Every structure is written in structure tokens, then in C-alpha cells.
Amino acid sequence: MDAPAVARKAQAGQFVVIRIDEHGERIPLTIADWNREEGTVTVVFMEVGTTTHRLARLGTGDSIADFVGPLGLPTHIDKFGTVVCVAGGFAVATIMPIARAMREKGNRVISIMGARSKDLIFWEEELRRVSDELIVTTDDGSYGRKGLVTEPLLELLQSGTRIDRVIAIGPSIMMKFAARTTEPFGVPTMVSLNPIMVDGTGMCGCCRVSVGGETKFACVDGPDFDGHQVDWDLLLARQRSYLDEEKLSFGQWEAQEAGSSGTKA
Amino acid sequence: MPKLDLNRIPMPRQDPKARGKNFNEVALGYSDEQARTEAGRCIQCPKRPCVSGCPVDIDIPGFIKAMREDDMPEAVRILKAKNALPGICGRVCPQESQCEAACTLAKRDAPVAIGRLERYVADWERAHKDQTEAPTKPPVPTGKRVAIVGSGPAGLTAAADLARMGHSVSIFEALHVAGGVLMYGIPEFRLPKEIVQAEVDYVTSLGADLKLDSVIGKIDTIDELLDCGFDAVFLGTGAGLPMFLDIPGENLNGIYSANEFLTRVNLMKAYRFPEYDTPVKIGRNVVVIGGGNVAMDSARCALRLGAEAVTIVYRRSEAEMPARREEVENAKEEGIQFRLLTTPKRFIGNEDNWVVGMECYEMELGEPDESGRRRPIPKEGSEFIIDCDVVVVALGTTPNPLIASTTLGLETTRRGTVVADENTGKTVKDRVWAGGDIVTGAATVISAMGAGKRAAADIDRFLRG
């Protein structure tokens, strides 16, 4: 994405809010990479609803109405010692700049990336380059190690290796279990929350999450929070707020797509 | 003394039954005939108390006189000399406590309907562009650059005035459209967005450069703006941070801040979902908590979305409600129910985390508090439950901390507002002014415009200094 103003200030862990066109919704997408000289920003997303499906159909030279950012607080980067970066699914894109920044700061970085199956694996080499060690898992065993990312994470913790910090990013359910895995070991675990947002600047409170019993706005107080303090069930429930509407909107889009490709053919 | 005509012309409005089902404007505006008659009621008194009642000093008797002389282009010119946003002000200003309260005829309980006439003139101009767009003499450029942060009423007014003074003005707006609360907050049926857009376009036509999607504090800080070529900065970022009740269950699904609910409906046009992608829960039993204009707007939006019952829950009695009388009446006419002297204790959810009820206390009024209003006190043992599936919390807003937290040397209060001189808008920080809700906390459109105007005058003095 050509967005020089965003590229100039982007930092690991921040996000943008995008809107495709006049009729579109505003959705947050995490910044995966940037090039300050060229003024470009990379985002990686999964096709889940109307907006992301439409976004995926755009190509080089296309433009969207709005690309706002960088929003949210950057990930806290410091020299911790050994940092384990855990990425589930397409969050490998989100963890990349964090792992890179952690390594540049002098940490030993162990990365774990997991996907459902081999064909959903991407940026493996990119992540390997910025990690001292990389473990790849797939749910179905079609590539790397069979199993969930929490399994090698648990083994690392049990092996007696000193781990000073864990960064876990991915679907909420994966982050929840990653945080549960590290909790008995007392290893500080940061997660990047992805609740539904509208403005992304602290104005509406749609993205409120409960952390340590306190309500926080993920868009301005986060998106990174202490994974051991997050009320995961609340987050998961709030993410389901508009399931019916999302289905309706997506069904309508699919029907339209089918109609227009039909006429083209 | 001219003969007093105490028959104020009422505003034609959409029928309450019909309008509860659409988002079209409720107040329809005067006809030419009605406007002429109402303008005729002004006695052109020499004291002109209405002008001192106006926060932006509009020459009210002047524009009304031009109307009476059938010189509409002149009425437009007089009005816009002081007010760049007349179509907005004519609709949402609380004239009853400002210009109209000061009107000489108000002593006889029938002030001239100044707001309605202002609206008429603004609407006339939009419909007669060809007759009014006389080429105005462009100002002599001063070569000075001013950054306006926020494009709500304060920012737009400051931008218009500074541009007319010959300064080079850039407006930075975080959202994808300009207008701030005029776009995301006030609903279409009270302030059509087409009118806001037309008045924003007018401000940019004066030479102000509008930069949308630009979150100051993120893409650039105030200090960076001052370092990279701006001679002065005006902060008009409003009060965008919603307040919540801080009671159990507040994060259940279906509970919205008024900011979120109104932003979804107004800015994102959720009332036209799925034609527009942003959804909003419609709800069968909607409860709105609060007694201000924002609570009325939220309740009336919920009704128009199709809710079966909409109830406003307010902890004091009707007399203490901060909303405009007119808006309370509109809400009542449309069938909004009021549960006064009631305050929520906690929200009740189902197994899916959706709100299904709200436990409330009945309240009684005690001694007056610091606001001068009688303090509401919960009645022991009075708890009862209201069934609801959507709740809108409209308790007010405080300034978004983004600017204050990223700017060195700004002084803020405990409430998060920025400290600025009341007459000039000058903050304690060099070359930085502020005005509107960011300084006062949530207030009115016109008071923010007044602050923008005073700051523009002071910035101009400083830049020419």
C-alpha cells in the first residue's frame, strides 16, 4: 500500500484502519511491514468477511478510500534476554516486525509459527531470518511438526531454557491458550488483541476489553496487553456481536459476485 | 414604537408518526411566505440585544432587515460575514438560551424566531448558488501557515476566519470526512449531512486545505507540525472520549456508548445496512441512559431503526434534563418513553454475553450539588429490572487524551481538558491555541464556533505581530 505518511511513523505492533469505499466499513489491520524510503506499508489479512474478500480482489494500481494510521501503541521492545514469538495463522505477518525489532535490540529470538495446513504457511523464510530458532507446526501435520503452537511452547518452558518474555499473536483462542500455557511458569506474555473497532482512535469504545478487571480500549490503550490479565471469554463473545449481520452482508456480496461474473462469462 | 406581533410562526415539521420511521429531516423549514412574515416581526430595536446573545456576533437585525427588503443575497452576505456555518447553526444552536432569549420580544414570550430565519437564509443560498456567488476579493496572502487540528465546529470556524485573513490554512481530520460531531454525532433527521458537507465545502473554497484520515499525535505530533513549517496550531479536537458508568456488566454485547451507536448510524450509515457495510443492533427494547441532547438523538435513532420500544432512563427529573426543550418534546411526540428518577445499578446478560436486562434504583432528589441541581440519591430497596436488548450509554464525553499525551508543555485539567485563555484561546504552549470542547468539555456547537472565532482573531494578531 502506497501510504507515505503511515510508513514514515509505523512501528512494530501498530495497526491501520481501512475503508474500501464510500459504502465500506472501517476495519483494523495490523501493519506487517513498511518501507520508509518508498513510502509503502504492507498489511496481511485473511479473507473472512465482505471487506477482506473485496480487498483481496484488488490488484496493483487499485486504490481504497481510506488508510489511516499508524494507530495504537507500538509493541514494547526492550532487551529482555530470550524472547519467544508465537504466531498463529496469518499473524506470522504481525509477529515479523516484532521479532525483527526484538532481535535488533539484542534478544535471542525463538519463533514458533503454526497454521492449519501446509498451503497456509507463508513468510517462513522471512521469519527464520529474524529468529535465532524457528519451529513450524501444522494442525494436520502436512508440514513441519504436527500439532498446535502451544505444544512446542510448553516444551520450551519445561526444558528449563530461560525464557524472559513471550509474545503470542493470532486468533483470540490461540492467544488465550498460549497465555494459559505460560502462566504457570510466570513468564510475562504479551498478546495483541483484535476486537471489533470503528474509528480506531479512542472515540467509540467498541473495542473495549477487560484486562486485570479494568476496562481498556484496545485501539488506544493497546492493542498489546498482558495475556495473563485478559478476560478472554469476554473478548471472544464481543467478537461475535455481529455474526448474523456479517453473514447477511457476505451472502449478499457473494450473490452479487456470482451475478456479475455470470454476466461477464 | 412599532406594533408588536406576538404570533411567532411555528416551524413546519414532519408528522410524528411518519417521521419515527424515516431519517429525513424533522423540521421542514419556513416557506418564503412564512419567512417573510416572521422577519416582519422584528422591530429593529436600536439596542440590538440579540447580537450580544450570539457567541459569533452575527448582525442579526441586519440580515433580517435585508430579508424584509427582499434582498436575499445581502442577507446571505451579512450572515456569512460572521458565520461560515449558518445552515448548521440555524438547525442546532440553542437559540432559546442565546439570541432569542435576549430578543426584546422575548419579554412578551414571543421572540423573533432568529434560528429559523438563519436556516431559511442558509437554505435559500444553497438553492440559489448562481445569485450569491459573487466573486469575493481574495485576501492578501500573509505567507503564514496555520495548522487546524480537528474539523468540527471550532476548527472549521477558525479555518474559515484565518483563510479569509490571508493565512495559509491546513485542516487535519482523523476521520474520513470533515465535520466532527456534526457528521458522526448529530443525526441526519436533525442535521442533514448534505448541509454539513456543503458548509465544509464552503470553508475549503475559502482556501483551507483539508487533510482527511490524518490522526495528529500519530502521523505528526503538534511539535512536529510547529517544527516543519507551521507558524501556529489551533487544537479543536473536541471531546471524543465516551464516559461509561463503571457498573457490572457494562461490557456485555449490545451495550454501546452513544458515540459508537451514533457513529455507526450517522457516519457509517448503518441505518442503510446492508447497502452500507457497517451494522448496528436494532433491538426490540432499547434503553438510553442520560438526559442530554445526545441521549435524545440516540433514542430517536433507535426508534427510526425499528425498535419496538425506546426508553430514556435519567437519574434526575425532567426539570433538570440538560437536553433542549424542543428535542425532549420531539422525542415524546415520536413515542419515546421516559423513566425519570431512575439510575442503573448493573446489567444482566445471558449465556452468550448479550444484555437482557438492567437492574435500576429509583432515585429521589436531595440537596443541590455543585452544579446547582438537586442531587439524586438512590432509594434503599427500590431495585427493579428493565428488560432490554440494546443499551446506549449517553453520559457525556471528555477530551480524547491523544493530543495532550503526545504534546510537550500543554497544561491539562483533572477532567482532561486543555487549559486555554477564555478570550483568546491561547494555551500555555508557545504558538498553540485551543478552543471548543477540548477546552470546555462537551458543550454546544455554537460555543465551540465562538471559541474558534476568538482564537482565529488572536492567532491573526500574533502572526501579524
Side-chain angles (χ1 to χ4, degrees):
Chain A
M1 184 67 61
D2 188 32
V6 182
R8 206 154 47 82
K9 288 293 179 76
Q11 293 182 64
Q14 290 187 298
F15 64 94
V16 291
V17 164
I18 67 113
R19 192 181 66 133
I20 295 184
D21 60 20
E22 187 50 37
H23 288 237
E25 59 180 339
R26 294 171 65 101
I27 63 160
L29 295 174
T30 311
I31 297 172
D33 206 356
W34 56 87
N35 185 323
R36 301 207 206 281
E37 286 73 47
E38 288 175 18
T40 56
V41 175
T42 306
V43 291
V44 175
F45 55 91
M46 189 158 75
E47 292 179 61
V48 282
T50 313
T51 302
T52 43
H53 273 88
R54 288 184 56 203
L55 208 51
R57 269 146 194 79
L58 300 177
T60 308
D62 289 336
S63 62
I64 59 173
D66 305 282
F67 191 84
V68 193
L71 299 172
L73 300 175
T75 297
H76 177 52
I77 306 289
D78 211 333
K79 183 153 198 275
F80 297 105
T82 299
V83 177
V84 176
C85 292
V86 187
F90 73 106
V92 62
T94 315
I95 215 114
M96 244 287 295
I98 297 172
R100 183 173 64 200
M102 286 291 186
R103 188 112 179 277
E104 279 167 7
K105 204 76 182 177
N107 293 287
R108 174 164 176 255
V109 175
I110 304 173
S111 296
I112 304 173
M113 60 185 276
R116 277 204 303 275
S117 63
K118 187 182 175 188
D119 49 327
L120 293 170
I121 295 279
F122 69 99
W123 281 21
E124 181 189 351
E125 284 320 305
E126 282 83 345
L127 190 56
R128 192 185 304 280
R129 256 202 304 280
V130 298
S131 309
D132 294 276
E133 204 181 309
L134 176 74
I135 302 163
V136 185
T137 68
T138 50
D139 296 3
D140 62 2
S142 55
Y143 187 72
R145 176 179 166 168
K146 182 174 185 331
L148 302 171
V149 286
T150 43
E151 292 163 20
L153 176 62
L154 180 64
E155 285 163 21
L156 273 174
L157 291 159
Q158 284 170 336
S159 71
T161 312
R162 183 187 159 85
I163 296 172
D164 299 282
R165 202 175 186 82
V166 170
I167 315 284
I169 308 181
S172 300
I173 198 76
M174 174 235 125
M175 292 192 283
K176 172 182 171 174
F177 283 102
R180 279 224 179 135
T181 306
T182 62
E183 199 166 8
F185 298 89
V187 179
T189 300
M190 298 305 286
V191 294
S192 175
L193 302 187
N194 49 356
I196 300 173
M197 292 186 186
V198 184
D199 65 290
T201 63
M203 199 182 89
C204 80
C206 176
C207 66
R208 57 198 196 275
V209 292
S210 178
V211 182
E214 261 183 75
T215 296
K216 300 276 183 194
F217 288 5
C219 68
V220 287
D221 301 323
D224 290 4
F225 292 100
D226 175 351
H228 298 150
Q229 301 284 323
V230 170
D231 181 341
W232 292 103
D233 293 341
L234 178 74
L235 175 71
L236 286 159
R238 287 186 64 84
Q239 284 173 330
R240 287 192 294 265
S241 288
Y242 295 101
L243 280 188
D244 295 343
E245 289 81 359
E246 284 160 12
K247 263 185 219 145
L248 174 68
S249 162
F250 188 58
Q252 200 184 47
W253 176 81
E254 274 188 315
Q256 252 171 35
E257 279 297 284
S260 61
S261 56
T263 43
K264 266 180 213 158
Chain B
M1 183 135 171
K3 190 169 162 292
L4 296 185
D5 175 0
L6 298 181
N7 295 314
R8 190 173 145 106
I9 306 281
M11 174 59 100
R13 290 182 304 167
Q14 265 199 80
D15 172 70
K17 276 237 160 53
R19 75 184 190 232
K21 294 186 176 64
N22 68 55
F23 275 80
N24 301 336
E25 195 170 12
V26 169
L28 301 171
Y30 279 160
S31 66
D32 298 344
E33 179 61 34
Q34 287 169 319
R36 205 171 300 123
T37 310
E38 185 62 28
R41 291 183 59 234
C42 174
I43 57 170
Q44 295 282 313
C45 57
K47 275 195 184 160
R48 305 157 63 90
C50 51
V51 180
S52 38
C54 173
V56 296
D57 295 322
I58 295 173
D59 176 3
I60 295 165
F63 91 76
I64 294 180
K65 183 161 178 278
M67 285 179 77
R68 283 151 61 135
E69 289 164 358
D70 259 336
D71 189 354
M72 286 304 292
E74 176 65 3
V76 171
R77 198 195 56 76
I78 295 172
L79 187 54
K80 290 187 102 170
K82 292 285 184 177
N83 185 352
L85 315 172
I88 294 166
C89 289
R91 287 170 168 83
V92 302
C93 266
Q95 292 96 6
E96 65 279 7
S97 57
Q98 299 182 149
C99 53
E100 293 179 14
C103 174
T104 302
L105 294 186
K107 290 174 196 145
R108 304 288 293 273
D109 215 24
V112 174
I114 299 165
R116 295 169 191 170
L117 293 178
E118 179 182 32
R119 168 186 165 151
Y120 175 83
V121 175
D123 289 357
W124 182 91
E125 189 210 5
R126 261 199 330 286
H128 298 83
K129 279 272 170 240
D130 49 325
Q131 293 177 46
T132 49
E133 275 185 314
T136 47
K137 206 169 49 170
V140 183
T142 62
K144 303 287 186 184
R145 295 178 66 203
V146 185
I148 307 282
V149 185
S151 67
L156 288 175
T157 303
D161 282 13
L162 287 163
R164 283 196 281 221
M165 292 162 181
H167 306 298
S168 162
V169 176
S170 299
I171 309 174
F172 295 90
E173 167 56 47
L175 290 173
H176 56 261
V177 290
V181 73
L182 305 168
M183 278 293 189
Y184 74 75
I186 304 177
E188 178 77 15
F189 57 82
R190 212 151 68 77
L191 179 62
K193 301 307 142 212
E194 189 194 338
I195 286 162
V196 180
Q197 192 57 53
E199 301 204 334
V200 167
D201 292 345
Y202 170 68
V203 173
T204 54
S205 78
L206 296 171
D209 176 33
L210 178 60
K211 297 178 192 301
L212 299 172
D213 290 336
S214 302
V215 185
I216 296 301
K218 293 291 184 188
I219 53 161
D220 280 311
T221 62
I222 302 301
D223 292 286
E224 286 167 327
L225 291 176
L226 290 168
D227 289 346
C228 72
F230 286 100
D231 299 288
V233 173
F234 174 76
L235 305 176
T237 51
L241 188 72
M243 294 203 270
F244 283 93
L245 289 148
D246 204 16
I247 59 172
E250 198 158 28
N251 294 332
L252 289 168
N253 296 10
I255 303 182
Y256 293 96
S257 72
N259 263 8
E260 182 187 351
F261 187 73
L262 293 174
T263 297
R264 283 180 180 275
V265 175
N266 301 324
L267 178 71
M268 305 309 296
K269 299 195 164 50
Y271 65 93
R272 289 166 68 180
F273 179 86
E275 180 197 349
Y276 283 76
D277 274 344
T278 305
V280 70
K281 282 290 165 190
I282 289 165
R284 290 174 58 198
N285 291 305
V286 179
V287 167
V288 178
I289 303 164
N293 287 325
V294 174
M296 301 305 137
D297 285 347
S298 303
R300 297 171 70 197
C301 279
L303 183 84
R304 284 161 172 77
L305 286 169
E308 285 170 23
V310 182
T311 308
I312 285 183
V313 168
Y314 179 55
R315 63 196 181 124
R316 305 182 202 243
S317 67
E318 191 169 331
E320 287 88 15
M321 271 196 176
R324 286 180 80 184
R325 199 74 262 135
E326 183 184 324
E327 300 308 333
V328 177
E329 290 312 318
N330 277 331
K332 281 186 179 169
E333 270 181 25
E334 288 165 14
I336 308 287
Q337 294 159 38
F338 286 74
R339 251 202 126 117
L340 303 171
L341 289 164
T342 301
T343 208
K345 180 185 178 189
R346 67 181 178 106
F347 297 101
I348 302 159
N350 65 14
E351 63 278 11
D352 296 323
N353 199 55
W354 276 94
V355 67
V356 292
M358 178 167 94
E359 189 177 3
C360 298
Y361 285 114
E362 283 178 24
M363 309 292 275
E364 53 197 356
L365 295 178
E367 295 300 310
D369 61 13
E370 63 271 23
S371 75
R373 296 177 299 176
R374 293 177 65 191
R375 184 193 300 276
I377 305 162
K379 277 195 221 169
E380 223 31 73
S382 66
E383 291 95 327
F384 66 100
I385 291 172
I386 302 179
D387 290 338
C388 52
D389 52 1
V390 165
V391 175
V392 181
V393 181
L395 294 173
T397 52
T398 56
N400 190 318
L402 187 57
I403 294 287
S405 67
T406 56
T407 308
L408 294 170
L410 268 187
E411 194 185 332
T412 52
T413 67
R414 206 164 32 89
R415 294 182 305 142
T417 52
V418 168
V419 177
D421 184 283
E422 202 180 319
N423 296 313
T424 63
K426 185 69 185 58
T427 69
V428 297
K429 188 177 172 67
D430 193 31
R431 296 192 284 152
V432 178
W433 283 256
D437 287 0
I438 189 178
V439 172
T440 57
T444 60
V445 168
I446 190 70
S447 68
M449 291 176 57
K453 217 170 184 55
R454 290 190 297 276
D458 199 55
I459 292 170
D460 183 58
R461 266 194 298 279
F462 166 78
L463 293 176
R464 290 175 197 277

